[in-house]
Amino acid sequence: MSLAASKSPKNIVVVGGGIQGTSVAFALAERDFKVTVLEAVRPASAASGKGGGFMARSWGDGGPTEGLHHVAFDLYETLAPSLGCTSYRKLPVLSVSPGKSPLDLATKKRHGEMLPSWLDGNLGRVSVMGSGDDTAQITPSEFVEKMLEKHAGRIHVVKGTCTGVTCTEQNQVSSVEYSDENSKACSLIADTVIVSAGPWSCAAEDWFDGALKLPMEGVKSTSIVWKKPESIETVDATALFCGEDSRFGTHLEVYPRPNGEIYICGIGGSDYISTEELKQGAFRNECNAKDARVKAAVASFQEMSSTYRQNGELEKQQACMRPCPPDAMPYMGAVPGYSGAYINAGHNCWGIAWAPACGQAMAELILDGQSKCVDLSLFDPARFTPAAQRGERGRKRQGTSVGEQW
Ligand SMILES: Cc1cc2nc3c(=O)[nH]c(=O)nc-3n(C[C@H](O)[C@H](O)[C@H](O)COP(=O)(O)OP(=O)(O)OC[C@H]3O[C@@H](n4cnc5c(N)ncnc54)[C@H](O)[C@@H]3O)c2cc1C
């Protein structure tokens, strides 16, 4: 059990300026609270700047994360236009399998306008996954920028890498420690801290003296972005989920964006980064694409698109990490045994789609004592922490008894 929530926090610090941390800060700012976002690199520098930005309202139906899908999808629908996000739109989705010949007339007729004109290469089977009513997209870096812009007076971004959290003897958060750009040790006064640092959030295991186990794997994947070819007027808005292409080892996810770019992930050959490596900050400052996977993605997509085979030019090749707890469920809730300490991390492959719901749920938990918009009970950050170890500050460090003086 956590201690009582600090309902009128004076000094709130969010660790991590990705889409998740910024969404928490935004939801708190919407309720007139001032928030400091402590960010090691720059806002949306990691997966929240390099992810696809696809969302689907009903794709989580029947599972524990259904509420996150629903609440966030509905929030985006009003929030994105009100913030002036030009990258948000609903779009249809097709499932496409790789093949050796162009589509026949009957298939073209069946799918009509849903078939994008750039899908003019060799394909296998095509079927509809979403007609465009409950599937949408946003470019996540734009959403982060717009949230910060709207509350520039309430959300203050500080550049620095969190190194720890200091608490009173009663386990009330009192400050957040960090290392600034010149590696100088600095401190932010805080009565409330929300650790929302994506895959690197597992470092909080040490910040709360082992009161919490946050096992995490970072799945590091390459993605590419195509420029709009000059040969075409518009890039039709249909997303594709492609079957395994054994010729190239890819299973592409293809997201055309309103600015004419096409974003592609699902390139295969991902690397798995361990909790221990993440705690050391692995790939936080630099995370590069793998050349061989870029080549595979280009070849696999150009098989499907003659337009891009003839006129395709890459805008970006990049890599970023998905934050994955062992049960693929996010960590959202209070740190057991502490006052004013929270975790919001590990949102896996839906961290963009769920962000506004996570922000609102965390703000409700912090300010009202519980989340009303989403049931957080299944996302307890202490679910991997042995019961005897929870909140045992001052007596155990990562499960080992170290005495009262520690
Ligand atoms: C290739 C790819 C495609 C994806 N596509 C989609 C998609 O289409 N739809 C979807 O919903 N999701 C998608 N995802 C998942 C989504 O991108 C992530 O779940 C989401 O971005 C996680 O956001 P975050 O804010 O938790 O973490 P991050 O974006 O990783 O941000 C964490 C931030 O914390 C900072 N930080 C880390 N450690 C510290 C520290 N000690 N002190 C201060 N700051 C720190 C980092 O610098 C970083 O800016 C995709 C992921 C990948 C890899």
Side-chain angles (χ1 to χ4, degrees), residues 219-256:
V219 181
K220 181 163 114 19
S221 308
T222 293
S223 54
I224 58 171
V225 181
W226 294 94
K227 285 184 184 166
K228 185 179 97 53
E230 281 177 13
S231 59
I232 53 175
E233 196 66 30
T234 49
V235 176
D236 292 340
T238 298
L240 310 181
F241 276 71
C242 304
E244 187 70 26
D245 188 342
S246 54
R247 298 165 296 186
F248 308 106
T250 56
H251 49 278
L252 302 185
E253 292 175 27
V254 180
Y255 306 124

mmCIF file of all heavy atoms in Angstrom, residues 219-256:
data_model
loop_
_atom_site.group_PDB
_atom_site.id
_atom_site.type_symbol
_atom_site.label_atom_id
_atom_site.label_comp_id
_atom_site.label_asym_id
_atom_site.label_seq_id
_atom_site.Cartn_x
_atom_site.Cartn_y
_atom_site.Cartn_z
ATOM 1 N N VAL A 219 13.348 -2.700 -26.456
ATOM 2 C CA VAL A 219 13.419 -3.345 -27.778
ATOM 3 C C VAL A 219 13.778 -2.264 -28.792
ATOM 4 O O VAL A 219 12.989 -1.369 -29.086
ATOM 5 C CB VAL A 219 12.092 -4.042 -28.148
ATOM 6 C CG1 VAL A 219 12.204 -4.711 -29.515
ATOM 7 C CG2 VAL A 219 11.725 -5.070 -27.088
ATOM 8 N N LYS A 220 15.025 -2.337 -29.260
ATOM 9 C CA LYS A 220 15.599 -1.265 -30.097
ATOM 10 C C LYS A 220 15.377 -1.604 -31.566
ATOM 11 O O LYS A 220 15.892 -2.607 -32.058
ATOM 12 C CB LYS A 220 17.093 -1.147 -29.780
ATOM 13 C CG LYS A 220 17.807 -0.059 -30.546
ATOM 14 C CD LYS A 220 19.102 0.233 -29.865
ATOM 15 C CE LYS A 220 20.369 -0.086 -30.577
ATOM 16 N NZ LYS A 220 20.498 -0.289 -31.962
ATOM 17 N N SER A 221 14.626 -0.749 -32.251
ATOM 18 C CA SER A 221 14.231 -1.050 -33.636
ATOM 19 C C SER A 221 14.539 0.110 -34.577
ATOM 20 O O SER A 221 14.412 1.283 -34.203
ATOM 21 C CB SER A 221 12.729 -1.308 -33.703
ATOM 22 O OG SER A 221 12.352 -2.268 -32.765
ATOM 23 N N THR A 222 14.857 -0.270 -35.807
ATOM 24 C CA THR A 222 15.124 0.722 -36.857
ATOM 25 C C THR A 222 13.818 1.153 -37.507
ATOM 26 O O THR A 222 12.882 0.363 -37.626
ATOM 27 C CB THR A 222 16.061 0.070 -37.907
ATOM 28 O OG1 THR A 222 17.336 -0.167 -37.285
ATOM 29 C CG2 THR A 222 16.252 0.946 -39.129
ATOM 30 N N SER A 223 13.744 2.417 -37.917
ATOM 31 C CA SER A 223 12.607 2.885 -38.725
ATOM 32 C C SER A 223 13.135 3.827 -39.807
ATOM 33 O O SER A 223 14.247 4.360 -39.691
ATOM 34 C CB SER A 223 11.556 3.594 -37.856
ATOM 35 O OG SER A 223 12.133 4.626 -37.094
ATOM 36 N N ILE A 224 12.334 3.998 -40.860
ATOM 37 C CA ILE A 224 12.741 4.909 -41.946
ATOM 38 C C ILE A 224 11.583 5.845 -42.283
ATOM 39 O O ILE A 224 10.428 5.550 -41.980
ATOM 40 C CB ILE A 224 13.170 4.147 -43.236
ATOM 41 C CG1 ILE A 224 12.022 3.257 -43.747
ATOM 42 C CG2 ILE A 224 14.425 3.333 -43.002
ATOM 43 C CD1 ILE A 224 12.289 2.636 -45.121
ATOM 44 N N VAL A 225 11.925 6.988 -42.902
ATOM 45 C CA VAL A 225 10.904 7.934 -43.354
ATOM 46 C C VAL A 225 11.228 8.318 -44.795
ATOM 47 O O VAL A 225 12.354 8.734 -45.099
ATOM 48 C CB VAL A 225 10.883 9.208 -42.466
ATOM 49 C CG1 VAL A 225 9.795 10.161 -42.952
ATOM 50 C CG2 VAL A 225 10.666 8.856 -40.996
ATOM 51 N N TRP A 226 10.227 8.124 -45.684
ATOM 52 C CA TRP A 226 10.400 8.515 -47.086
ATOM 53 C C TRP A 226 9.951 9.963 -47.279
ATOM 54 O O TRP A 226 8.947 10.392 -46.711
ATOM 55 C CB TRP A 226 9.528 7.649 -48.010
ATOM 56 C CG TRP A 226 9.896 6.202 -48.072
ATOM 57 C CD1 TRP A 226 9.373 5.194 -47.323
ATOM 58 C CD2 TRP A 226 10.853 5.592 -48.953
ATOM 59 N NE1 TRP A 226 9.943 3.988 -47.671
ATOM 60 C CE2 TRP A 226 10.849 4.206 -48.672
ATOM 61 C CE3 TRP A 226 11.711 6.074 -49.941
ATOM 62 C CZ2 TRP A 226 11.652 3.292 -49.344
ATOM 63 C CZ3 TRP A 226 12.513 5.172 -50.616
ATOM 64 C CH2 TRP A 226 12.498 3.805 -50.316
ATOM 65 N N LYS A 227 10.663 10.697 -48.162
ATOM 66 C CA LYS A 227 10.199 12.019 -48.604
ATOM 67 C C LYS A 227 9.025 11.828 -49.548
ATOM 68 O O LYS A 227 8.906 10.770 -50.183
ATOM 69 C CB LYS A 227 11.301 12.719 -49.408
ATOM 70 C CG LYS A 227 12.410 13.243 -48.580
ATOM 71 C CD LYS A 227 13.380 13.994 -49.481
ATOM 72 C CE LYS A 227 14.559 14.441 -48.661
ATOM 73 N NZ LYS A 227 15.688 14.878 -49.457
ATOM 74 N N LYS A 228 8.222 12.864 -49.743
ATOM 75 C CA LYS A 228 7.163 12.779 -50.755
ATOM 76 C C LYS A 228 7.803 12.842 -52.137
ATOM 77 O O LYS A 228 8.538 13.790 -52.438
ATOM 78 C CB LYS A 228 6.176 13.937 -50.609
ATOM 79 C CG LYS A 228 4.994 13.834 -51.570
ATOM 80 C CD LYS A 228 4.031 14.976 -51.391
ATOM 81 C CE LYS A 228 4.239 16.095 -52.379
ATOM 82 N NZ LYS A 228 4.258 15.721 -53.790
ATOM 83 N N PRO A 229 7.573 11.834 -52.996
ATOM 84 C CA PRO A 229 8.160 11.902 -54.342
ATOM 85 C C PRO A 229 7.552 13.063 -55.126
ATOM 86 O O PRO A 229 6.343 13.298 -55.032
ATOM 87 C CB PRO A 229 7.761 10.566 -54.977
ATOM 88 C CG PRO A 229 7.298 9.702 -53.861
ATOM 89 C CD PRO A 229 6.813 10.603 -52.784
ATOM 90 N N GLU A 230 8.376 13.781 -55.861
ATOM 91 C CA GLU A 230 7.860 14.923 -56.630
ATOM 92 C C GLU A 230 6.895 14.475 -57.722
ATOM 93 O O GLU A 230 6.061 15.244 -58.190
ATOM 94 C CB GLU A 230 9.009 15.735 -57.221
ATOM 95 C CG GLU A 230 9.620 16.633 -56.163
ATOM 96 C CD GLU A 230 10.812 17.415 -56.658
ATOM 97 O OE1 GLU A 230 11.025 17.467 -57.881
ATOM 98 O OE2 GLU A 230 11.531 17.944 -55.787
ATOM 99 N N SER A 231 7.026 13.188 -58.120
ATOM 100 C CA SER A 231 6.197 12.680 -59.226
ATOM 101 C C SER A 231 4.720 12.547 -58.845
ATOM 102 O O SER A 231 3.884 12.342 -59.712
ATOM 103 C CB SER A 231 6.725 11.320 -59.669
ATOM 104 O OG SER A 231 6.691 10.421 -58.576
ATOM 105 N N ILE A 232 4.404 12.594 -57.549
ATOM 106 C CA ILE A 232 2.978 12.463 -57.191
ATOM 107 C C ILE A 232 2.501 13.711 -56.445
ATOM 108 O O ILE A 232 3.250 14.330 -55.699
ATOM 109 C CB ILE A 232 2.662 11.183 -56.380
ATOM 110 C CG1 ILE A 232 3.573 11.046 -55.144
ATOM 111 C CG2 ILE A 232 2.758 9.957 -57.245
ATOM 112 C CD1 ILE A 232 3.206 9.870 -54.253
ATOM 113 N N GLU A 233 1.225 14.037 -56.679
ATOM 114 C CA GLU A 233 0.618 15.238 -56.093
ATOM 115 C C GLU A 233 0.398 15.053 -54.587
ATOM 116 O O GLU A 233 0.829 15.852 -53.769
ATOM 117 C CB GLU A 233 -0.721 15.472 -56.817
ATOM 118 C CG GLU A 233 -1.318 16.856 -56.640
ATOM 119 C CD GLU A 233 -0.477 17.960 -57.276
ATOM 120 O OE1 GLU A 233 0.224 17.725 -58.291
ATOM 121 O OE2 GLU A 233 -0.517 19.054 -56.718
ATOM 122 N N THR A 234 -0.305 13.945 -54.264
ATOM 123 C CA THR A 234 -0.593 13.662 -52.853
ATOM 124 C C THR A 234 -0.248 12.208 -52.536
ATOM 125 O O THR A 234 -0.293 11.345 -53.418
ATOM 126 C CB THR A 234 -2.098 13.860 -52.517
ATOM 127 O OG1 THR A 234 -2.848 13.160 -53.495
ATOM 128 C CG2 THR A 234 -2.501 15.320 -52.484
ATOM 129 N N VAL A 235 0.047 11.979 -51.283
ATOM 130 C CA VAL A 235 0.348 10.613 -50.832
ATOM 131 C C VAL A 235 -0.910 10.106 -50.124
ATOM 132 O O VAL A 235 -1.253 10.586 -49.040
ATOM 133 C CB VAL A 235 1.574 10.629 -49.889
ATOM 134 C CG1 VAL A 235 1.843 9.239 -49.327
ATOM 135 C CG2 VAL A 235 2.797 11.156 -50.620
ATOM 136 N N ASP A 236 -1.614 9.184 -50.758
ATOM 137 C CA ASP A 236 -2.904 8.744 -50.214
ATOM 138 C C ASP A 236 -2.769 8.201 -48.792
ATOM 139 O O ASP A 236 -1.807 7.504 -48.458
ATOM 140 C CB ASP A 236 -3.513 7.648 -51.113
ATOM 141 C CG ASP A 236 -3.922 8.210 -52.472
ATOM 142 O OD1 ASP A 236 -4.089 9.439 -52.586
ATOM 143 O OD2 ASP A 236 -4.062 7.405 -53.413
ATOM 144 N N ALA A 237 -3.822 8.517 -47.996
ATOM 145 C CA ALA A 237 -3.776 8.217 -46.562
ATOM 146 C C ALA A 237 -4.376 6.858 -46.240
ATOM 147 O O ALA A 237 -5.513 6.772 -45.777
ATOM 148 C CB ALA A 237 -4.516 9.314 -45.808
ATOM 149 N N THR A 238 -3.655 5.801 -46.474
ATOM 150 C CA THR A 238 -4.064 4.479 -45.982
ATOM 151 C C THR A 238 -2.846 3.841 -45.326
ATOM 152 O O THR A 238 -1.767 3.810 -45.921
ATOM 153 C CB THR A 238 -4.555 3.565 -47.136
ATOM 154 O OG1 THR A 238 -5.706 4.163 -47.728
ATOM 155 C CG2 THR A 238 -4.931 2.183 -46.626
ATOM 156 N N ALA A 239 -3.022 3.386 -44.072
ATOM 157 C CA ALA A 239 -1.917 2.706 -43.381
ATOM 158 C C ALA A 239 -1.922 1.228 -43.760
ATOM 159 O O ALA A 239 -2.974 0.667 -44.091
ATOM 160 C CB ALA A 239 -2.082 2.855 -41.879
ATOM 161 N N LEU A 240 -0.749 0.599 -43.733
ATOM 162 C CA LEU A 240 -0.643 -0.832 -44.048
ATOM 163 C C LEU A 240 0.002 -1.592 -42.896
ATOM 164 O O LEU A 240 0.983 -1.116 -42.305
ATOM 165 C CB LEU A 240 0.257 -1.071 -45.268
ATOM 166 C CG LEU A 240 0.039 -0.291 -46.559
ATOM 167 C CD1 LEU A 240 1.056 -0.755 -47.604
ATOM 168 C CD2 LEU A 240 -1.391 -0.493 -47.062
ATOM 169 N N PHE A 241 -0.554 -2.745 -42.574
ATOM 170 C CA PHE A 241 0.129 -3.710 -41.727
ATOM 171 C C PHE A 241 0.456 -4.894 -42.639
ATOM 172 O O PHE A 241 -0.455 -5.551 -43.152
ATOM 173 C CB PHE A 241 -0.776 -4.153 -40.561
ATOM 174 C CG PHE A 241 -0.721 -3.198 -39.407
ATOM 175 C CD1 PHE A 241 -1.295 -1.939 -39.513
ATOM 176 C CD2 PHE A 241 -0.078 -3.535 -38.226
ATOM 177 C CE1 PHE A 241 -1.239 -1.032 -38.458
ATOM 178 C CE2 PHE A 241 -0.010 -2.642 -37.159
ATOM 179 C CZ PHE A 241 -0.595 -1.384 -37.281
ATOM 180 N N CYS A 242 1.738 -5.137 -42.877
ATOM 181 C CA CYS A 242 2.146 -6.130 -43.867
ATOM 182 C C CYS A 242 2.526 -7.452 -43.197
ATOM 183 O O CYS A 242 3.104 -7.463 -42.108
ATOM 184 C CB CYS A 242 3.341 -5.619 -44.658
ATOM 185 S SG CYS A 242 3.007 -4.020 -45.427
ATOM 186 N N GLY A 243 2.224 -8.525 -43.865
ATOM 187 C CA GLY A 243 2.623 -9.844 -43.367
ATOM 188 C C GLY A 243 4.133 -10.021 -43.468
ATOM 189 O O GLY A 243 4.832 -9.214 -44.086
ATOM 190 N N GLU A 244 4.624 -11.088 -42.845
ATOM 191 C CA GLU A 244 6.065 -11.371 -42.850
ATOM 192 C C GLU A 244 6.563 -11.515 -44.293
ATOM 193 O O GLU A 244 6.012 -12.295 -45.076
ATOM 194 C CB GLU A 244 6.307 -12.670 -42.057
ATOM 195 C CG GLU A 244 7.751 -13.011 -41.820
ATOM 196 C CD GLU A 244 8.441 -12.077 -40.827
ATOM 197 O OE1 GLU A 244 7.766 -11.489 -39.956
ATOM 198 O OE2 GLU A 244 9.678 -11.935 -40.939
ATOM 199 N N ASP A 245 7.574 -10.747 -44.627
ATOM 200 C CA ASP A 245 8.197 -10.853 -45.953
ATOM 201 C C ASP A 245 9.515 -11.599 -45.767
ATOM 202 O O ASP A 245 10.544 -11.012 -45.387
ATOM 203 C CB ASP A 245 8.426 -9.438 -46.519
ATOM 204 C CG ASP A 245 8.890 -9.470 -47.973
ATOM 205 O OD1 ASP A 245 9.354 -10.541 -48.410
ATOM 206 O OD2 ASP A 245 8.783 -8.437 -48.653
ATOM 207 N N SER A 246 9.465 -12.919 -46.004
ATOM 208 C CA SER A 246 10.635 -13.764 -45.689
ATOM 209 C C SER A 246 11.828 -13.441 -46.596
ATOM 210 O O SER A 246 12.966 -13.774 -46.273
ATOM 211 C CB SER A 246 10.262 -15.236 -45.800
ATOM 212 O OG SER A 246 9.697 -15.467 -47.071
ATOM 213 N N ARG A 247 11.580 -12.764 -47.717
ATOM 214 C CA ARG A 247 12.702 -12.405 -48.603
ATOM 215 C C ARG A 247 13.633 -11.404 -47.906
ATOM 216 O O ARG A 247 14.835 -11.367 -48.142
ATOM 217 C CB ARG A 247 12.174 -11.775 -49.903
ATOM 218 C CG ARG A 247 11.307 -12.704 -50.718
ATOM 219 C CD ARG A 247 10.523 -11.963 -51.761
ATOM 220 N NE ARG A 247 9.563 -11.017 -51.195
ATOM 221 C CZ ARG A 247 8.674 -10.319 -51.901
ATOM 222 N NH1 ARG A 247 8.633 -10.454 -53.226
ATOM 223 N NH2 ARG A 247 7.841 -9.498 -51.319
ATOM 224 N N PHE A 248 13.040 -10.565 -47.048
ATOM 225 C CA PHE A 248 13.829 -9.486 -46.431
ATOM 226 C C PHE A 248 13.807 -9.510 -44.899
ATOM 227 O O PHE A 248 14.451 -8.689 -44.244
ATOM 228 C CB PHE A 248 13.299 -8.118 -46.918
ATOM 229 C CG PHE A 248 13.213 -8.017 -48.420
ATOM 230 C CD1 PHE A 248 11.987 -8.074 -49.070
ATOM 231 C CD2 PHE A 248 14.371 -7.906 -49.186
ATOM 232 C CE1 PHE A 248 11.906 -8.003 -50.462
ATOM 233 C CE2 PHE A 248 14.290 -7.838 -50.572
ATOM 234 C CZ PHE A 248 13.069 -7.886 -51.216
ATOM 235 N N GLY A 249 13.024 -10.422 -44.311
ATOM 236 C CA GLY A 249 12.931 -10.493 -42.848
ATOM 237 C C GLY A 249 12.189 -9.307 -42.256
ATOM 238 O O GLY A 249 12.512 -8.850 -41.146
ATOM 239 N N THR A 250 11.199 -8.797 -42.976
ATOM 240 C CA THR A 250 10.452 -7.622 -42.496
ATOM 241 C C THR A 250 8.968 -7.971 -42.308
ATOM 242 O O THR A 250 8.480 -8.949 -42.862
ATOM 243 C CB THR A 250 10.529 -6.479 -43.528
ATOM 244 O OG1 THR A 250 10.045 -6.987 -44.784
ATOM 245 C CG2 THR A 250 11.950 -5.972 -43.713
ATOM 246 N N HIS A 251 8.287 -7.156 -41.521
ATOM 247 C CA HIS A 251 6.812 -7.230 -41.401
ATOM 248 C C HIS A 251 6.363 -5.772 -41.278
ATOM 249 O O HIS A 251 5.969 -5.316 -40.216
ATOM 250 C CB HIS A 251 6.397 -8.069 -40.188
ATOM 251 C CG HIS A 251 7.114 -7.670 -38.924
ATOM 252 N ND1 HIS A 251 8.374 -8.113 -38.610
ATOM 253 C CD2 HIS A 251 6.770 -6.812 -37.946
ATOM 254 C CE1 HIS A 251 8.763 -7.562 -37.469
ATOM 255 N NE2 HIS A 251 7.808 -6.758 -37.049
ATOM 256 N N LEU A 252 6.468 -5.056 -42.368
ATOM 257 C CA LEU A 252 6.373 -3.595 -42.328
ATOM 258 C C LEU A 252 5.043 -3.070 -41.798
ATOM 259 O O LEU A 252 3.979 -3.622 -42.071
ATOM 260 C CB LEU A 252 6.590 -3.021 -43.737
ATOM 261 C CG LEU A 252 7.905 -3.361 -44.442
ATOM 262 C CD1 LEU A 252 7.998 -2.600 -45.765
ATOM 263 C CD2 LEU A 252 9.112 -3.047 -43.564
ATOM 264 N N GLU A 253 5.158 -1.951 -41.036
ATOM 265 C CA GLU A 253 4.002 -1.109 -40.708
ATOM 266 C C GLU A 253 4.244 0.203 -41.440
ATOM 267 O O GLU A 253 5.298 0.817 -41.275
ATOM 268 C CB GLU A 253 3.919 -0.854 -39.206
ATOM 269 C CG GLU A 253 3.584 -2.097 -38.418
ATOM 270 C CD GLU A 253 3.620 -1.854 -36.913
ATOM 271 O OE1 GLU A 253 3.391 -0.714 -36.469
ATOM 272 O OE2 GLU A 253 3.909 -2.822 -36.192
ATOM 273 N N VAL A 254 3.284 0.594 -42.267
ATOM 274 C CA VAL A 254 3.485 1.729 -43.175
ATOM 275 C C VAL A 254 2.467 2.825 -42.852
ATOM 276 O O VAL A 254 1.261 2.576 -42.929
ATOM 277 C CB VAL A 254 3.314 1.255 -44.645
ATOM 278 C CG1 VAL A 254 3.528 2.416 -45.614
ATOM 279 C CG2 VAL A 254 4.268 0.110 -44.958
ATOM 280 N N TYR A 255 2.979 3.995 -42.453
ATOM 281 C CA TYR A 255 2.082 5.093 -42.080
ATOM 282 C C TYR A 255 2.355 6.338 -42.924
ATOM 283 O O TYR A 255 3.285 7.102 -42.620
ATOM 284 C CB TYR A 255 2.261 5.471 -40.607
ATOM 285 C CG TYR A 255 2.111 4.313 -39.651
ATOM 286 C CD1 TYR A 255 3.129 3.993 -38.748
ATOM 287 C CD2 TYR A 255 0.955 3.536 -39.649
ATOM 288 C CE1 TYR A 255 2.991 2.934 -37.865
ATOM 289 C CE2 TYR A 255 0.820 2.467 -38.778
ATOM 290 C CZ TYR A 255 1.836 2.176 -37.882
ATOM 291 O OH TYR A 255 1.701 1.116 -37.020
ATOM 292 N N PRO A 256 1.541 6.583 -43.981
ATOM 293 C CA PRO A 256 1.693 7.854 -44.693
ATOM 294 C C PRO A 256 1.240 8.990 -43.777
ATOM 295 O O PRO A 256 0.269 8.824 -43.035
ATOM 296 C CB PRO A 256 0.734 7.703 -45.884
ATOM 297 C CG PRO A 256 -0.152 6.577 -45.561
ATOM 298 C CD PRO A 256 0.479 5.732 -44.510
#
